[in-house]
Amino acid sequence: MSDIKLFSINGQSAQELEAKTAVLEKDLQHHIERHMEVLLGVRFLATEYSTGKTHKGRIDSLGLDENSCPVIVEYKRHTNENVINQGLFYLDWLLDHQAEFKWLVMESLGKETAEAIEWNGTRLICIASDFNKYDEHAVQQINRNIELMRYRYFGADLLLLELVNAQTVAQIIGSSSDESGRRTAASASRDKTQGERLAEASPELVELFQAVCSYSEQLGDEVQRKELKLYTVFKRIRNFMSVVVMPGKNDPKLLVYLKLPGESANEDGFTRNVTNIGHWGTGDFEVIIRNQNDWLKAKDLILQSYEAS
């Protein structure tokens, strides 16, 4: 059980706020869906999505995260081990019906967004009042991107979401293709992948990349690293950093995008405001790392983004 306690402090007195679960599962689902982008970093697509007559199911919530990865969210008002099995059932259905999901994204968010779906990052988020040790162990044994989140209501208007456990895998499907076997526009892109750019990078740039990744992963037990087609992302519940390797012969560098206010960048060749500039990754604050001195300066900025996420 969660041991998190929340207190209201007023002058000389302190009062513990009572932790409660949702009266109805639908209440929890409604609150999450209404504020999904703020709470989870996921754009809401559909509620109670039918999986058809053959599959005979309804996915609680469908969305697309800030890295363009499909997301399934399943809810349980109380502790219930079935939420994981149920979510996995729907996750397999989704990966077998990519064209249907792509059409849903196209109708809701537009063709360009639909063409950029990152299927290898497809995620399942299970939200329940609690999970037991067997749930947490089971998640680590399953080759899927699964996150367990515990929720609690405090008082009249406070909702707590706590990331209990997460399993991140390098790849969950063999290729980015739709049901008819055609390659998606994202996989057919002429842009070199992060892996291809890393293979071309100098040993010095690779060493810088590894240093950034190692430092970021050890910031907290809840940090998740995900290798996407064009960049590497680090997240808690939401992204706090994206890293793009740029191995150009004349100016090899790492482009790091942080969730800090873009307007606070100095525009000095080390940091830049990219709020209105297209770029890979997420975040409006760009940090350019070319050498060890840049990396030493970047550490504090990465920590700030992590703590703010």
Side-chain angles (χ1 to χ4, degrees):
M1 295 293 293
S2 173
D3 60 355
I4 289 178
K5 296 182 181 297
L6 194 63
F7 296 87
S8 174
I9 298 177
N10 184 12
Q12 300 301 314
S13 65
Q15 180 180 2
E16 182 178 352
L17 300 181
E18 180 185 1
K20 297 181 289 187
T21 59
V23 176
L24 298 172
E25 188 176 302
K26 278 290 185 184
D27 294 337
L28 172 65
Q29 182 174 347
H30 172 73
H31 291 152
I32 298 294
E33 289 179 344
R34 188 174 182 182
H35 306 287
M36 188 171 281
E37 192 159 4
V38 173
L39 297 173
L40 303 177
V42 175
R43 287 170 285 182
F44 172 74
L45 289 173
T47 185
E48 298 296 330
Y49 189 83
S50 173
T51 56
K53 294 181 180 180
T54 302
H55 198 272
K56 297 179 181 179
R58 286 189 177 274
I59 298 172
D60 285 349
S61 303
L62 269 177
L64 195 72
D65 73 12
E66 52 197 324
N67 301 307
S68 296
C69 300
V71 179
I72 289 174
V73 185
E74 290 292 315
Y75 313 87
K76 289 298 176 188
R77 188 166 71 94
H78 293 300
T79 305
N80 189 321
E81 68 277 4
N82 289 334
V83 69
I84 300 175
N85 295 331
Q86 186 174 331
L88 287 171
F89 187 63
Y90 293 137
L91 191 61
D92 284 343
W93 176 90
L94 179 60
L95 294 175
D96 285 338
H97 293 76
Q98 294 181 27
E100 185 173 334
F101 180 83
K102 183 177 178 181
W103 183 259
L104 175 64
V105 174
M106 189 179 303
E107 287 185 318
S108 302
L109 302 174
K111 182 177 180 181
E112 184 176 353
T113 302
E115 295 291 353
I117 294 173
E118 280 271 5
W119 286 102
N120 285 337
T122 303
R123 301 160 56 199
L124 166 64
I125 301 176
C126 300
I127 301 178
S129 63
D130 218 332
F131 300 92
N132 59 45
K133 63 180 180 181
Y134 304 110
D135 297 329
E136 297 180 32
H137 177 75
V139 166
Q140 299 302 318
Q141 310 307 311
I142 300 169
N143 191 37
R144 290 289 189 269
N145 294 310
I146 307 175
E147 296 161 46
L148 304 183
M149 289 187 192
R150 180 186 292 126
Y151 84 92
R152 283 291 191 280
Y153 285 101
F154 290 90
D157 57 0
L158 296 177
L159 171 63
L160 168 75
L161 290 178
E162 178 190 7
L163 184 61
V164 177
N165 207 326
Q167 168 72 350
T168 301
V169 297
Q171 187 170 348
I172 62 173
I173 56 176
S175 63
S176 295
S177 60
D178 61 21
E179 290 173 289
S180 60
R182 295 185 299 270
R183 298 179 67 200
T184 64
S187 64
S189 169
R190 294 181 181 179
D191 293 321
K192 291 182 179 179
T193 67
Q194 178 87 319
E196 290 170 338
R197 284 182 266 113
L198 263 174
E200 296 176 358
S202 67
E204 293 78 14
L205 190 60
V206 172
E207 184 178 350
L208 280 174
F209 174 74
Q210 292 172 341
V212 171
C213 293
S214 177
Y215 172 79
S216 303
E217 285 181 293
Q218 61 81 40
L219 287 173
D221 292 339
E222 79 286 13
V223 172
Q224 303 168 63
R225 172 181 175 178
K226 185 65 185 176
E227 300 294 341
L228 299 175
K229 181 178 184 287
L230 298 173
Y231 58 94
T232 302
V233 67
F234 293 83
K235 63 188 288 290
R236 299 168 86 178
I237 291 179
R238 301 180 62 177
N239 290 1
F240 67 86
M241 181 177 74
S242 304
V243 184
V244 180
V245 178
M246 302 296 288
K249 294 181 179 179
N250 297 326
D251 186 23
K253 56 183 176 285
L254 302 179
L255 300 180
V256 176
Y257 297 98
L258 303 176
K259 291 296 186 70
L260 297 174
E263 58 270 20
S264 63
N266 294 325
E267 302 289 342
D268 54 3
F270 173 60
T271 61
R272 184 171 65 138
N273 181 1
V274 293
T275 303
N276 299 312
I277 300 173
H279 60 278
W280 294 330
T282 59
D284 295 333
F285 190 104
E286 180 185 77
V287 181
I288 303 170
I289 302 176
R290 296 183 172 90
N291 50 51
Q292 286 294 331
N293 287 335
D294 290 340
W295 163 227
L296 292 176
K297 291 191 296 181
K299 280 186 175 182
D300 183 58
L301 294 170
I302 293 172
L303 179 60
Q304 289 179 40
S305 184
Y306 164 79
E307 291 177 340
S309 67

